[in-house]
Amino acid sequence: MSEYLSPNRPSPSLRSVSDAFTGDRDHEASSIETKYTPFEQVAVDLLHTMILSREADKREGVLLRQGKGWLNVPSAGHEAIAALCYHLDERDYLLPIFRDRALMLARGMSLDEMALDYYAREGSSSRGRNMCSHPSSRRLNVFTTATPVGAQCLPAVGIAEGLKRSASGGVVLCVIGDAATRQGEFFEAVNQAVQDYLPIIFLVEDNGYGISTPTEHTTPLALGLLPPKLLTVIEGYDAKRVYDVGAELIAAARAGSGPSILWCKVERLGNHTNADDHRVYRAISELETISERDPIALLSSWIFSHELADASVVEQERLAGAKLVKEAYAAAERAPISSDALSGLYGPAADAVMVPAAVRERSGAATTTMVRTINRVLRCGMESFDNMLLFGEDIEDPKGGVFGLTRGLSTTYPGRVTNSPLAEATILGAAVGLAATGYLPVFELQFIDFVGPGFNQIASHIVSLRWRTKGEWTCPMVIYAPYGAYLPGGGMWHSQSNEGLFTHMPGLMVAVPSTPEDAAGLFWSAFHGSDPTLILLPKHLFHVVHDSANITWEPVPLGVARVVREGADATVVAWGNCVELAEQAAETIAAEDGGAVEVIDLRSLVPCDWAAIEASVAKTGRLIVVQEDSRTGGFGQSIISEMVSHEGRFFSLAAPPYLVSRPDVHVPFHPDLELATLPSASDIVAAIRKTRA
């Protein structure tokens, strides 16, 4: 008798062993009236899926003990959750956690895929780049899993927003563990889903532990923090109960009834991972009783009592399943290991065309500013890209953003230009999900200083989606934010630049315009891009008046610098606010020393135009880099490192390169103190003279 089965109750078998593991499943979506296939018709099929999951758990445990593989995250005790997949269809999206093997099998992921994933081999969902037990499948609308718990909730909300906008009737099932519901992003996601009435079910798999810490009294459920009208609490080890309640909630979401929280009490029947031993922190009495809530045993008993199959046949099918599992993992072990971890970080370069004449500047004004030009290019984007959405704090009219960058746009494009909550994680996480459903998010952060709450989404999803999924999931989006100082009274909360943080994150493009023309061109190229782009806008330059005739409305490719001023005596590389200072310094050197300084505006930091810097240094022999960011870890240090780390570049230098930078200190509030910490034109002049001494 199988270890999963209750005492034998003779009953007729409905399917053969081979049918059990090869038969097609009927995943018809529930209707609004929740008329769905009776559980009796899917119970045996569901049991097969659950047994396969358990056998795969066991197989991975054996392989680890043999020294094969690196990680096993057992799903034992969570298998009944797979019953929900019978109510999902191809329109729907699933965001699982790493203990959802049975759920993935029910969704349509094969044993072969799971085995390749375990061994991190070629052919797996990430070619060994992402950890195993982190499901991902574009084909099945299974959004790629990240290890930081709770990081999936806000992208799930963005996906649900995309599905609602497309009126596809699709729903989102977002899974989270009980301990992870203490994450702030879970609450942000629930807030946004309730506010916008989104078709999403938050499924909490509550096994009572956050690794070794009991959660019985510390979850939002235990503390009474969840709205009762959203909440349904069930025994998640009871497959029939999961099936029946899931049918109702999924059908309600599909019918437009908004979000819900399905809290499923389950058991974690084994260790957290292979690196854990739950006997260290769980009482013996507890371990002796958890098998009473084994979902496979409970479903087997239900099947026997309803005479759908007998124990002997189910045992035969378990043995057949174990054989299939063993064969799949043996085949995966023979699969090749990927030899390429360097490619696929970015998609093809943007092939942007000139801004159409019909949507260029039409005001007829002789002058313009960076603010007015950015507003215009955003309007051009909204007119040219039907899938483009704007989202940010206070960006709707009448305010149109703190700096007026979006003024008038929500009036012209109602529903496509909307205010976000005061929550940067929601802004960035929703962008991830909307990008996954085919929209072009162009989202505003009020100040780059406030990015901290959203940094998790940048690090967990935005920068690595393409790379870790072989390009199956991508993140084309534009995030823009005012940045920098030289504007009195901002202090440390409104005057940081911080570009060094973002250039350190592979997968994110970073641009910093210093003129209205470049701002328009960089935005326009970013709109056409296939990767996430962060555009930092130097607010000190927002209202500098420029001749409108200089705005050519041509795309500015990322990675192409601009020579602002030609010269042969020294090269000054700058970006953003510091370009203006570099020009002033060059004029001073020309007037006082008779020298000709070449000034290069990088315009984009990632990708960086190394060739332009190299060519200029080869001509001048001297390099000064100017950055507003703090010195240590800033991008300026990266430039100098690149120039001295290559023989051809190093031997072009006639003097050591020099970095003009803010010291490693925060930007103070008082204007005099602020200016004392920031690079100045006189600092650049002094640096140029040192290299020429």
Side-chain angles (χ1 to χ4, degrees):
M1 184 183 300
S2 166
E3 63 190 278
Y4 311 132
L5 306 181
S6 299
N8 186 19
R9 300 172 182 169
S11 56
S13 171
L14 294 185
R15 304 199 316 169
S16 70
V17 175
S18 60
D19 287 342
F21 294 101
T22 61
D24 292 333
R25 298 183 179 88
D26 180 11
H27 284 190
E28 290 292 329
S30 303
S31 68
I32 295 175
E33 296 80 14
T34 69
K35 294 178 181 178
Y36 51 90
T37 305
F39 186 67
E40 288 81 356
Q41 295 185 29
V42 303
V44 175
D45 183 69
L46 174 59
L47 181 62
H48 304 323
T49 298
M50 293 164 64
I51 288 175
L52 277 179
S53 176
R54 187 71 62 86
E55 292 300 323
D57 272 355
K58 292 165 62 178
R59 186 65 194 159
E60 289 185 8
V62 170
L63 291 169
L64 275 166
R65 289 191 292 274
Q66 294 175 349
K68 300 177 180 180
W70 302 272
L71 176 68
N72 171 231
V73 184
S75 299
H78 290 235
E79 293 97 344
I81 302 300
L84 295 172
C85 277
Y86 291 89
H87 308 301
L88 300 177
D89 61 33
E90 68 280 353
R91 299 170 293 177
D92 304 325
Y93 282 73
L94 182 56
L95 290 90
I97 57 176
F98 35 71
R99 219 175 295 280
D100 279 332
R101 187 192 304 278
L103 192 65
M104 292 302 95
L105 286 168
R107 182 62 172 164
M109 191 169 287
S110 69
L111 280 174
D112 292 339
E113 291 174 289
M114 288 188 175
L116 288 167
D117 180 59
Y118 170 76
Y119 277 112
R121 297 301 173 96
E122 190 69 54
S124 67
S125 63
S126 74
R127 290 186 297 189
R129 297 176 176 189
N130 202 6
M131 299 181 74
C132 65
S133 298
H134 286 54
S136 176
S137 174
R138 186 61 156 163
R139 171 178 59 89
L140 300 172
N141 281 348
V142 176
F143 190 75
T144 173
T145 308
T147 296
V149 294
Q152 70 276 20
C153 295
L154 289 170
V157 163
I159 292 172
E161 173 70 26
L163 294 179
K164 181 180 179 181
R165 285 178 175 273
S166 68
S168 69
V171 302
V172 176
L173 182 63
C174 177
V175 188
I176 187 171
D178 50 306
T181 58
R182 289 289 294 258
Q183 289 278 343
E185 289 190 7
F186 170 71
F187 286 94
E188 286 191 37
V190 172
N191 271 316
Q192 194 69 20
V194 171
Q195 172 190 297
D196 292 345
Y197 234 58
L198 298 179
I200 184 170
I201 299 97
F202 296 98
L203 168 64
V204 183
E205 296 182 15
D206 180 359
N207 60 30
Y209 283 89
I211 305 182
S212 67
T213 304
T215 61
E216 181 182 3
H217 304 296
T218 60
T219 64
L221 176 68
L223 297 172
L225 300 177
L226 300 177
K229 67 178 182 179
L230 297 182
L231 183 64
T232 303
V233 183
I234 64 172
E235 301 81 9
Y237 42 80
D238 181 341
K240 186 177 187 305
R241 182 73 172 142
V242 173
Y243 182 85
D244 291 341
V245 172
E248 296 172 4
L249 295 180
I250 291 170
R254 209 181 294 285
S257 296
S260 60
I261 301 172
L262 177 57
W263 197 287
C264 293
K265 298 281 189 176
V266 297
E267 284 289 353
R268 197 188 77 197
L269 298 180
N271 300 321
H272 171 68
T273 68
N274 59 286
D276 175 50
D277 184 352
H278 68 164
R279 295 171 299 180
V280 173
Y281 50 84
R282 300 179 78 171
I284 294 176
S285 58
E286 179 185 356
L287 295 175
E288 289 174 344
T289 60
I290 58 176
S291 61
E292 297 172 3
R293 291 171 292 282
D294 183 335
I296 294 180
L298 293 172
L299 179 56
S300 297
S301 295
W302 190 92
I303 287 172
F304 300 153
S305 68
H306 288 74
E307 299 186 344
L308 300 178
D310 61 35
S312 63
V313 171
V314 173
E315 171 64 6
Q316 292 175 35
E317 295 183 341
R318 184 193 70 82
L319 294 173
K323 182 175 182 292
L324 287 175
V325 167
K326 186 175 182 179
E327 291 172 349
Y329 280 77
E333 187 178 1
R334 296 189 296 269
I337 300 172
S338 175
S339 59
D340 178 19
L342 302 180
S343 68
L345 186 62
Y346 298 101
D351 185 18
V353 298
M354 191 168 179
V355 180
V359 294
R360 295 180 201 168
E361 182 70 60
R362 288 178 287 199
S363 68
T367 61
T368 190
T369 64
M370 186 178 287
V371 167
R372 291 205 298 269
T373 303
I374 292 170
N375 180 274
R376 184 64 228 161
V377 78
L378 291 174
R379 185 177 294 272
C380 291
M382 295 297 288
E383 292 182 24
S384 302
F385 299 92
D386 292 338
N387 64 336
M388 181 169 153
L389 303 173
L390 295 177
F391 188 58
E393 296 164 10
D394 300 301
I395 69 168
E396 289 184 28
D397 295 328
K399 192 168 184 64
V402 170
F403 294 96
L405 295 169
T406 58
R407 190 164 294 147
L409 296 183
S410 68
T411 301
T412 307
Y413 306 100
R416 291 176 60 197
V417 182
T418 54
N419 282 339
S420 73
L422 200 67
E424 286 74 20
T426 296
I427 295 170
L428 294 170
V432 172
L434 282 163
T437 54
Y439 287 90
L440 173 57
V442 181
F443 286 8
E444 177 180 310
L445 298 177
Q446 203 168 81
F447 293 87
I448 197 59
D449 312 65
F450 301 160
V451 73
F455 214 78
N456 182 41
Q457 287 300 316
I458 298 176
S460 296
H461 288 300
I462 291 175
V463 299
S464 66
L465 270 177
R466 175 186 293 279
W467 179 82
R468 76 177 194 244
T469 65
K470 304 182 298 185
E472 281 199 339
W473 295 101
T474 59
C475 213
M477 65 171 66
V478 181
I479 305 297
Y480 66 93
Y483 101 117
Y486 301 98
L487 200 64
M492 71 182 75
W493 313 120
H494 304 83
S495 303
Q496 308 293 341
S497 48
N498 297 330
E499 65 266 25
L501 289 173
F502 305 107
T503 60
H504 188 67
M505 306 181 77
L508 180 67
M509 295 188 172
V510 181
V512 191
S514 65
T515 68
E517 182 176 16
D518 283 347
L522 289 166
F523 266 99
W524 193 248
S525 291
F527 293 163
H528 290 81
S530 57
D531 294 294
T533 301
L534 172 65
I535 301 180
L536 299 172
L537 303 172
K539 56 186 182 289
H540 164 70
L541 303 176
F542 273 179
H543 299 293
V544 176
V545 177
H546 294 257
D547 187 345
S548 291
N550 291 331
I551 310 299
T552 63
W553 295 100
E554 293 181 354
V556 174
L558 278 77
V560 178
R562 174 174 67 99
V563 178
V564 179
R565 181 186 183 111
E566 293 189 354
D569 296 328
T571 298
V572 177
V573 176
W575 53 91
N577 288 320
C578 293
V579 173
E580 179 184 54
L581 301 176
E583 289 185 85
Q584 293 171 6
E587 290 172 1
T588 299
I589 291 292
E592 297 180 2
D593 301 1
V597 173
E598 185 148 292
V599 176
I600 295 178
D601 178 0
L602 282 184
R603 302 196 291 193
S604 77
L605 308 184
V606 180
C608 183
D609 192 346
W610 301 116
I613 302 173
E614 181 177 3
S616 181
V617 171
K619 178 172 59 174
T620 68
R622 293 166 177 84
L623 173 64
I624 300 92
V625 181
V626 188
Q627 67 174 25
E628 187 179 346
D629 204 354
S630 56
R631 183 179 187 86
T632 302
F635 191 69
Q637 288 189 337
S638 297
I639 293 174
I640 291 173
S641 175
E642 282 289 326
M643 289 301 110
V644 301
S645 298
H646 296 75
E647 278 189 13
R649 297 170 179 172
F650 178 78
F651 290 114
S652 295
L653 290 166
Y658 202 89
L659 176 64
V660 179
S661 174
R662 172 163 54 95
D664 291 334
V665 67
H666 303 289
V667 178
F669 174 65
H670 193 283
D672 291 349
L673 294 174
E674 174 187 315
L675 289 176
T677 66
L678 296 172
S680 66
S682 60
D683 294 332
I684 302 171
V685 168
I688 294 170
R689 287 173 175 162
K690 284 183 180 180
T691 64
R692 298 179 70 207

